Amino acid sequence: MGSLRFLTAGESHGQALGVTLEGVPAGLALTADRVAVDLARRQRGYGRGARQAIEKDRAEIVSGVRHGLTLGSPILLLVRNRDWENWTRVMQVEPLSEEEAAELAALAAEGTTRAAPITRVRPGHADLAGALKYGFNDVRNVLERASARETTARVAAGAVARAFLAEFGVEIWSFTAEVGGDAVDPGNCSRTREEADASPLRCPDPDAEERMIARIDEARSNGDTVGGVFEVVARGVPIGLGSYVHWDRRLDAALAAAIMSINIVKGVELGLGFEQTRRFGSAVHDVIEGRTDDGRWVHRSNNAGGLTGGISNGEPIVVRGAVKPISTLARPLPSADLVSGRPVEKAHYERSDISVVPAAGVVGEAMVALVLADAVLHKFGGDSIDETRDNLERYRARIARAPEASVPGGAEADSGGAEAGSGGDD
Ligand SMILES: Cc1cc2nc3c(=O)[nH]c(=O)nc-3n(C[C@H](O)[C@H](O)[C@H](O)COP(=O)(O)O)c2cc1C
């Protein structure tokens, strides 16, 4: 919708990751400590690799904030890579002098893998398609940006969007719903949100988590990797974000694209998702209970995941992302060499995660926050938080009352029921 925009920059082993966020109204309280909470959550999770022990991500707020409040100007956040000090020559920005090139070649010759060009492309990663597309003969040039280290910058931006949404009572959370085919049992989700957040896989079902951990251990001992499913839930979202009038104004489509944009996500479900196709309509559609005395519209269930007609319907928004197994395997698959084009026995391996479902869930939260913040700004506008709040409150008060029948097809035109045997509307 374009009211809130962001662009990230940075390579996995470069100096820093950065993000510019444009469109945040003035007057939002924002501190680096607040952003740090989400960055730390992204780094956790059973199955992550050694990199997370090196990095202690913290965003510097470089611009757009004064005395703890946003100014309405672009917000620039920078997260420095601690690992950079080990990569200064390999990732040097300036052209290599003859001596520096010789130094790199010597490092490669003595077996320092990071100094050598990468040509044995990894199945399932961006290596082959990326190298051919950009004309590289060293896959390092691809993987440095294709790496999900970039999602650190998204999570930093998402923390700003989360702070903005919290002003209006919108809360976003995620949990690990499945790893390697072992899923949570909704009847056994005994952990509170805080307990789940503190658990190794950020999982509300302790028994399922044990089985999931066993799957990750199994993958690790086989030099393999394993995927899963995360679920993001957004509560307190006002009715009416998004629209059915154009494909690119549908909130469901924007959320699906945002989740699918996370490197590693290969499927998205909203609400009941694919399960709807296996049930009759009467067992899918959420009965509308009516308007409560305090003006809220309530559904009996939430199979739609808070989204109908491309619009938020006031119920919690529920989005799931399918996370494929990591493609860098400690016991690499056979592959081919980028330069010779010939088969090789083993694809490239470099330090890697084994399973990242909880971390992907935190990235999912950030993407959902950014989409919802954009949709709130698109609908309610506002150059300051107070102005956005006034607009939103006025709208909330209006939809809490009976409509005044000024809209075509409003209360006066209500026929009071469906007609049997009528044709479809498509
Ligand atoms: C939080 C997170 C961490 C990841 N860590 C790794 C990793 O250590 N090794 C790896 O090969 N892929 C990792 N990935 C996935 C790759 O970035 C991704 O598979 C790759 O960019 C190709 O994109 P695609 O899977 O969307 O096709 C990670 C993804 C996420 C979200």
Side-chain angles (χ1 to χ4, degrees):
M1 290 159 218
S3 301
L4 182 74
R5 297 177 293 163
F6 71 98
L7 266 188
T8 70
E11 279 72 44
S12 180
H13 300 99
Q15 299 172 52
L17 295 146
V19 60
T20 305
L21 191 61
E22 205 278 321
V24 178
L28 174 69
L30 190 67
T31 61
D33 282 348
R34 188 154 189 174
V35 178
V37 173
D38 282 339
L39 291 176
R41 290 174 70 239
R42 179 195 164 281
Q43 290 200 273
R44 293 191 50 244
Y46 193 84
R48 303 288 326 254
R51 177 82 188 265
Q52 305 315 313
I54 300 173
E55 303 295 349
K56 293 281 168 279
D57 290 336
R58 188 166 171 92
E60 293 163 44
I61 304 177
V62 178
S63 72
V65 177
R66 179 164 183 254
H67 300 164
L69 294 176
T70 57
L71 297 169
S73 49
I75 297 171
L76 174 60
L77 304 174
L78 267 192
V79 180
R80 303 211 178 260
N81 284 324
R82 284 197 179 184
D83 209 9
W84 160 247
E85 64 186 39
N86 302 314
W87 292 77
T88 46
R89 194 65 79 220
V90 179
M91 293 301 294
Q92 177 172 313
V93 171
E94 292 298 313
L96 290 170
S97 67
E98 267 179 35
E99 299 82 73
E100 288 164 346
E103 184 194 321
L104 256 190
L107 276 176
E110 74 195 27
T112 307
T113 31
R114 78 170 76 105
I118 301 166
T119 57
R120 290 173 295 123
V121 286
R122 290 166 299 173
H125 218 296
D127 301 359
L128 177 62
L132 295 177
K133 174 179 168 68
Y134 288 100
F136 295 138
N137 58 9
D138 179 359
V139 168
R140 170 73 50 211
N141 291 338
V142 175
L143 68 85
E144 282 293 329
R145 180 66 187 168
S147 157
R149 180 88 186 123
E150 182 267 345
T151 61
T152 306
R154 298 201 221 178
V155 169
V160 180
R162 186 198 293 278
F164 169 76
L165 291 167
E167 293 286 322
F168 313 110
V170 180
E171 262 194 5
I172 300 170
W173 185 59
S174 73
F175 60 89
T176 296
E178 201 170 316
V179 170
D182 273 303
V184 293
D185 169 0
N188 198 45
C189 288
S190 55
R191 285 179 173 152
T192 63
R193 188 174 142 170
E194 288 69 30
E195 287 167 348
D197 233 23
S199 77
L201 287 176
R202 291 202 315 101
C203 180
D205 175 347
D207 299 328
E209 186 179 58
E210 254 179 54
R211 295 192 299 275
M212 294 174 187
I213 287 174
R215 298 290 279 162
I216 295 171
D217 288 342
E218 184 187 341
R220 190 197 313 271
S221 58
N222 293 333
D224 216 327
T225 59
V226 64
V229 178
F230 63 80
E231 181 166 317
V232 181
V233 182
R235 294 178 191 279
V237 179
I239 297 181
L241 302 185
S243 176
Y244 48 81
V245 303
H246 283 296
W247 68 272
D248 59 351
R249 290 190 54 195
R250 291 187 67 106
L251 187 62
D252 50 6
L255 287 166
I259 294 295
M260 190 59 104
S261 78
I262 302 169
N263 347 18
I264 213 161
V265 169
K266 294 299 146 193
V268 182
E269 283 189 318
L270 304 171
L272 258 193
F274 278 51
E275 173 59 23
Q276 298 178 64
T277 63
R278 299 170 202 123
R279 298 188 185 182
F280 289 114
S282 55
V284 167
H285 301 301
D286 304 309
V287 170
I288 300 167
E289 303 269 25
R291 193 174 48 227
T292 59
D293 290 343
D294 60 357
R296 286 176 305 110
W297 281 92
V298 180
H299 297 76
R300 195 173 291 167
S301 52
N302 186 25
N303 292 335
L307 294 154
T308 37
I311 309 174
S312 55
N313 68 12
E315 297 294 338
I317 289 182
V318 180
V319 193
R320 268 187 303 280
V323 173
K324 76 179 187 187
I326 294 278
S327 48
T328 307
L329 306 186
R331 190 173 289 168
L333 289 169
S335 188
D337 186 275
L338 175 67
V339 177
S340 72
R342 308 300 304 160
V344 292
E345 226 168 87
K346 287 179 179 179
H348 172 72
Y349 176 75
E350 88 177 38
R351 183 187 57 192
S352 187
D353 296 317
I354 293 166
S355 187
V356 294
V357 184
V362 175
V363 183
E365 290 175 25
M367 294 310 294
V368 167
L370 286 158
V371 168
L372 293 181
D374 178 40
V376 165
L377 283 165
H378 184 81
K379 179 152 176 59
F380 302 107
D383 291 309
S384 68
I385 290 292
D386 286 345
E387 194 180 348
T388 310
R389 182 177 294 108
D390 286 349
N391 297 343
L392 176 54
E393 289 310 323
R394 209 168 31 250
Y395 166 80
R396 273 186 168 146
R398 186 169 67 67
I399 62 172
R401 300 190 297 267
E404 280 148 24
S406 58
V407 180
E412 280 178 353
D414 187 1
S415 66
E419 282 170 33
S422 61
D425 61 1
D426 180 16

